[in-house]
Each structure stands twice: as C-alpha cells, then as structure tokens.
Amino acid sequence: MQDDLFGGPPPPSAPAAPDKAPARRTGVHPATWGGDLHALAARLPPRLRLGTSSWSYPGWQGLVWESAHSEQTLAKKGLPVYARHPLLRTVSIDRSFYRPLTASDYARYAAQVPGDFRFVVKAPSLVADALVRSEDGRAREPNPAFLNPQLAAQEFVAPALEGLGARTGALVFQLSPLPWRLLDRLPEVLERLRTLLQAQPPLGRPDAVLAVEVRDPEWLAPEHMGHFADVLRSSGATYCLGLHARLPPLAEQLPLLRLLWPGPLVCRWNLHPVHGPHGYEDAQKLYAPYDRIHHPDPDTHALLARTLAGVCGRGQNAYVTISNHAEGCAPLTVRRLAEQVAALGAAQ
C-alpha cells in the first residue's frame, strides 16, 4: 500500500491510438491568395472589372483553384470560387455563342457570385454570324437570321437581363467574319445593325451596356468608322475593343472609342497576333494547360492600362475579359494588367 501511495511503479498504460489520417476535403476550394493580391485589388478603380473568358481550366491550379479538378467539375462548381478571387470581378460567358441560354441558365450563374460581380455575355451565333457553319467552323450557307432584331431580343437580351438582373454587365454582339458579298455592302450591314440595336428592350440595369465586337478590319476603315460610331451612338451602344490577330492593334481601334466618348469601355483580349488570324488551334496547342505566360505583350499592357485608368478616372465603367490565348495564362495576364493600372493611379 505504501508503494502505491508514495510512488510505486505505475500501472501499464494502454497502447496509444494510431493517428487518424486527415479528412480529405471535397469540392472546389480557392488557392491561397496572399495579402499582396488583396492590396493590389484595393488599389484598382472601383469601376474597373477585370476577368477572363470562361473559368473551367484545370491549369489554373495554384492561381485560382487550390487542387486539381477536371474541366467538367470546374465548369459546374468553379464559378463561386473564381468570383472570390480579389482581381476577378467579371467573366465572359462564351457558351452562349454556340447555343442560346435561358433566363434560368443566367439566373443560376447570377446566384453563384457576389452582388458586385458583373457578367460579360456573348450573343448567340444564331443572330451574330452571317453564315451557318458546320461543327468544324466551315461555312455552309447564308444565315437568314443574321442581325434579326426580334430573335436577338427573344433569344439573348431579354433572357440575359431577366436572369442576371443587376449582375448584367456587357451584352456583346460579336459579329463573326463577314463573307465578301456583305463586306462589299458594309453600309447596308451597318443600317441593319442599327435596326437590331434600337429594337432591343430597355436594359434597366445600372451597369448594363450593349456592345458590338467585330472580326473584320473593314469596320474600322476611315470610310466606315464615322458611320459605325453613329450607329452605336444612336442606339446607346458602344464598341467592344477586340484584341485579336484579325484586327488592327489597340492603338488603331481607340479612335472609334474616342468618337463614342463619354461612355463605358468594353474590351475582350482574345488572341496574340503571333499566331495569325486563324491561330486559335495553334495557341491552344502551345499554351495548354494555360499555367504560365508564353508570349508577353508589354505594349498592349501599357496602352490598355493607360486607357483604363483614363476611362475609369472619369467615372465610366470598364469591363475587360482576357483569354488564355492572349499570352498563355489569363489570370496572370489579369494580374500584370492590374499592376500597371494600379501603378498609374499611384503616380497621379
């Protein structure tokens, strides 16, 4: 008994339980975004919204997503995580070009993002392409619904406004390359475009704007630019800067934007000119999985940053969506552009 009271040998202890393996997290989670990224976002003009073309890219692991996920998983579950990224306050919905979306489709997107987020949406090819094309993109026949005002309202503008609500940003009619028979009659096409734009329902959303993007340099020729600007201005629409190998560089597109001033800026940075006008497949092969910059474009960065700083500094909205095909990795291009815009603000 005394041994027990005054420090006798302790009874044998029970064997330690084996360590449990940490529970595996499921779902899509954000990458670690450091304080420097949040600080950069805070230095940007509030009216500037930067983003990418779509969001379902597995190669953005470590930049947007924490872990590896399939493209299908990210397409379904990635948007809420994307929208939490400090710099990504807009995104381009590109799938609407291939098939019209319903108001319910748009509402599901809107429900996944915060109230300050805005969407850039492409009009369906049903009304934006002068040609009916096969699955490989080859022209088959003229499209009788091209620039049809009623179809544009019914299949695009009305459902987008209803579904996205206050999260509506830029509704973009990206007009595919025109056949020569229409390019030779561009003034007639411009008047058809005026009729389409003026027939759309009132936007009724504080940040919503109709925009027109083109794929033929003829639209920007001196003999047509004034007419083009008049069509847009009379319809309350704007020009969407298309940074694409088919078009002149940014500096040669800005005169049209000046003719429309004051007004919002919409820009879609699509394809690096090194690939040529038909280089999407080449860019895709070279850049995939879109996890780093391959072809930096410092000149475009510098001029676009100055333009954005000027537009937003005068109280106008700006939407910029960037494709992986611009430099190789859209989130990294967004960050570089944000850094330049922020530096301009600090210098003022």
Side-chain angles (χ1 to χ4, degrees), residues 77-332:
K77 301 180 179 180
L79 180 58
V81 173
Y82 170 101
R84 290 168 58 187
H85 189 286
L87 298 180
L88 303 177
R89 300 176 60 220
T90 187
V91 74
S92 178
I93 299 177
D94 293 344
R95 64 183 285 247
S96 54
F97 180 78
Y98 304 99
R99 178 180 63 83
L101 303 183
T102 66
S104 297
D105 292 327
Y106 289 118
R108 280 193 291 272
Y109 288 135
Q112 298 178 58
V113 301
D116 189 49
F117 195 92
R118 300 290 181 267
F119 288 92
V120 173
V121 190
K122 287 176 62 174
S125 62
L126 172 69
V127 295
D129 196 336
L131 299 168
V132 176
R133 300 179 188 272
S134 57
E135 290 187 0
D136 62 359
R138 296 180 182 274
R140 295 190 310 190
E141 57 190 353
N143 176 14
F146 178 54
L147 296 182
N148 182 295
Q150 291 73 35
L151 279 177
Q154 174 185 321
E155 301 294 338
F156 177 46
V157 176
L161 291 173
E162 179 183 347
L164 296 178
R167 292 171 177 82
T168 306
L171 304 181
V172 181
F173 290 91
Q174 183 234 288
L175 304 183
S176 300
L178 298 178
W180 282 110
R181 63 180 181 81
L182 290 181
L183 279 177
D184 287 343
R185 294 158 38 209
L186 197 53
E188 297 177 28
V189 178
L190 280 162
E191 289 306 312
R192 290 175 60 187
L193 176 63
R194 189 197 305 268
T195 300
L196 176 143
L197 293 172
Q198 293 182 349
Q200 299 315 298
L203 300 184
R205 310 299 183 197
D207 298 317
V209 61
L210 295 179
V212 178
E213 180 183 358
V214 298
R215 282 287 186 268
D216 297 298
E218 285 81 359
W219 292 84
L220 303 171
E223 62 268 28
H224 298 304
M225 186 177 292
H227 190 178
F228 193 7
D230 178 67
V231 166
L232 296 171
R233 192 186 306 107
S234 69
S235 310
T238 193
Y239 173 63
C240 176
L241 293 165
L243 305 186
H244 189 287
R246 291 188 63 98
L247 294 175
L250 174 59
E252 296 178 32
Q253 297 185 49
L254 288 179
L256 178 53
L257 210 61
R258 295 189 187 102
L259 291 175
L260 298 170
W261 182 258
L265 181 148
V266 181
C267 176
R268 296 180 68 248
W269 191 347
N270 295 295
L271 179 64
H272 198 293
V274 71
H275 302 292
H278 306 286
Y280 266 114
E281 290 186 2
D282 292 339
Q284 187 173 6
K285 291 176 183 177
L286 178 61
Y287 293 164
Y290 310 121
D291 57 352
R292 61 188 178 93
I293 298 293
H294 289 257
H295 286 117
D297 191 349
D299 292 340
T300 297
H301 272 286
L303 181 53
L304 183 56
R306 292 199 302 272
T307 304
L308 293 171
V311 167
C312 295
R314 289 165 177 80
Q316 298 293 329
N317 288 335
Y319 300 98
V320 181
T321 61
I322 298 172
S323 168
N324 284 318
H325 300 124
E327 294 185 309
C329 177
L332 292 179

